[in-house]
Amino acid sequence: ARGLTFSVTPRGRYVDDQPLNLRTVGTDAAGTSKVALLQQHGVNTVRTYRMPERDLLDEFARQGIKVIVGFRPQDIASGAYVNYIQANRTHPAILMWELGNEENFKDQGKWAENRQKATAYLQILRASGGSGLAALKQASTNPVIQALPDAGAVTDDQLRAVFYDENSWYLILQQAAGDIKALDQAGGVQQHPVSTANWNLPQAQWLKALTNVDVIGVNVYPWDDLSEVNRYLQEVQQQLGIVKAMYLSETGTDSQDNSIPAEDQAAQAVAFSELWRQIDEQSSVHNPNNLFIGVTFMTAFDEWWKAGNPDRQDIGGYAIDVPYDGEVTEEKLGLFDIDGKPKMAARLMQRLW
């Protein structure tokens, strides 16, 4: 996979304010489809965080780009993911179905925005019978979870306990992945792999437990050095005997250097090329025994909604191990700017891809 994450949001809009369709994705200044721009720069895969509408899937297919379709916990709770798969499982653009993004990372300071997601967790677990809430109670030693009712209202403390217990998401993931496998069949054969995207490198115990998940994505930002990721892959596959394909579902860096502070597209390009060199060397293309299948770099286009005011591009970031300033400016993570103009990194990857 030579890919990018794809969460295109027009200026002045927030990501959840509009559907993910061909109209909202739009074109560059010359009228070229932004999907076509990706194809022209060597991209063969995109990973979405929401369900793309049919017209966008059609455009991806026309451009020869495969899609990893992302489902949120809310999509699982509402059953929207089932309806989507039933409607699109034969579409030629589909590569994989992906459940969740960084659901194993729980920021204790963001409860207000996570409360809706926690409600979805509880709804799914209650609807899953013995593999859901009952299994969570069996796995947990938390007395708050032990006291959860099978139906009816719960306290905020009980909702928090469900959300922050690491067992909750993995039970949901295993159940939903199994449901997808049963649904996405033709002639008794599973049609598309099921994946998930973890924050950082997941514990081996979960890799073993997730028997219904075919592919593990990892969101990692290890500067420009993937040696730790490579050691992890070797340990998992060779020493622990876990045979499961993996890919980098997020990695990369932004085009802002906050140590200057100024735009530094050249540094972003260097980082992407160095990361790609290591990814390519470890991929199953060059080593059939390695189940590492590629990358979806973060991200296709700059998004102005991430730091608060969607009408402008906000500068400034927070500490994270990205090259080469150790700070990420979220609104400058794109290989293209918000209007589709390619940055130096996009032009370099075009040559490499």
Side-chain angles (χ1 to χ4, degrees):
R2 304 188 307 269
L4 302 174
T5 64
F6 192 85
S7 181
V8 181
T9 308
R11 56 165 46 84
R13 304 293 294 274
Y14 288 97
V15 68
D16 290 328
D17 284 351
Q18 70 284 311
L20 186 59
N21 59 27
L22 193 57
R23 181 184 60 81
T24 57
V25 168
T27 66
D28 69 0
T32 302
S33 157
K34 287 182 180 177
V35 176
L37 286 177
L38 301 186
Q39 187 276 332
Q40 293 167 11
H41 286 77
V43 174
N44 67 8
T45 307
V46 296
R47 171 184 170 238
T48 71
Y49 299 87
R50 297 181 295 145
M51 298 176 286
E53 293 190 0
R54 186 77 176 203
D55 63 345
L56 185 54
L57 287 179
D58 291 343
E59 176 66 1
F60 281 125
R62 281 191 293 269
Q63 300 299 333
I65 294 176
K66 294 292 188 179
V67 184
I68 302 170
V69 176
F71 300 118
R72 303 166 298 174
Q74 299 94 311
D75 301 324
I76 302 171
S78 68
Y81 80 118
V82 171
N83 297 333
Y84 188 89
I85 292 170
Q86 288 174 330
N88 296 290
R89 65 189 182 90
T90 61
H91 198 285
I94 304 299
L95 178 62
M96 292 191 288
W97 312 113
E98 187 156 271
L99 294 162
N101 178 62
E102 297 185 355
E103 293 299 324
N104 61 320
F105 176 72
K106 304 293 173 60
D107 190 336
Q108 297 280 346
K110 293 186 176 182
W111 172 245
E113 63 187 74
N114 284 326
R115 197 177 192 285
Q116 181 183 10
K117 190 182 290 186
T119 302
Y121 272 33
L122 182 59
Q123 181 180 342
I124 299 165
L125 289 165
R126 281 175 162 176
S128 298
S131 61
L133 188 56
L136 177 61
K137 289 181 178 181
Q138 184 176 5
S140 177
T141 58
N142 187 339
V144 176
I145 288 179
Q146 300 296 330
L148 277 168
D150 293 335
V154 296
T155 67
D156 210 54
D157 285 344
Q158 288 176 315
L159 204 56
R160 284 174 181 265
V162 170
F163 184 68
Y164 290 116
D165 191 302
E166 65 177 358
N167 295 286
S168 295
W169 168 246
Y170 289 114
L171 288 168
I172 291 169
L173 176 57
Q174 174 73 353
Q175 178 65 45
D179 292 343
I180 291 175
K181 283 176 176 288
L183 182 66
D184 187 21
Q185 297 270 334
V189 178
Q190 181 183 342
Q191 296 301 290
H192 303 93
V194 181
S195 63
T196 189
N198 280 265
W199 166 250
N200 222 320
L201 305 173
Q203 297 178 24
Q205 71 186 76
W206 294 118
L207 294 183
K208 289 181 177 180
L210 295 172
T211 55
N212 289 333
V213 178
D214 306 301
V215 180
I216 300 293
V218 291
N219 295 358
V220 291
Y221 293 89
W223 203 252
D224 65 355
D225 181 4
L226 295 175
S227 56
E228 181 182 350
V229 177
N230 292 333
R231 284 193 298 270
Y232 172 84
L233 291 172
Q234 292 173 5
E235 177 184 350
V236 164
Q237 293 178 16
Q238 297 174 13
Q239 298 180 25
L240 300 179
I242 299 174
V243 181
K244 200 177 291 287
M246 295 190 186
Y247 82 109
L248 297 187
S249 41
E250 281 185 20
T251 196
T253 192
D254 58 282
S255 59
Q256 176 75 12
D257 187 339
N258 287 317
S259 67
I260 302 177
E263 178 98 342
D264 191 350
Q265 292 190 15
Q268 184 191 33
V270 169
F272 269 78
S273 63
E274 177 57 24
L275 288 164
W276 172 251
R277 179 189 64 79
Q278 297 169 71
I279 291 165
D280 188 43
E281 287 176 353
Q282 293 296 321
S283 74
S284 55
V285 172
H286 300 298
N287 182 359
N289 294 322
N290 194 337
L291 297 180
F292 187 55
I293 60 174
V295 63
T296 50
F297 282 110
M298 186 75 178
T299 187
F301 301 92
D302 284 348
E303 300 172 74
W304 288 11
W305 63 273
K306 289 196 167 185
N309 186 343
D311 294 314
R312 65 167 187 255
Q313 190 168 37
D314 298 295
I315 306 303
Y318 55 89
I320 188 174
D321 207 12
V322 297
Y324 288 101
D325 62 350
E327 285 191 6
V328 61
T329 297
E330 290 246 24
E331 296 193 3
K332 286 196 171 186
L333 280 165
L335 271 74
F336 300 78
D337 71 13
I338 196 168
D339 297 314
K341 182 180 179 181
K343 300 181 186 179
M344 291 178 66
R347 295 194 294 271
L348 177 58
M349 298 312 293
Q350 182 182 38
R351 295 198 297 271
L352 295 175
W353 285 349

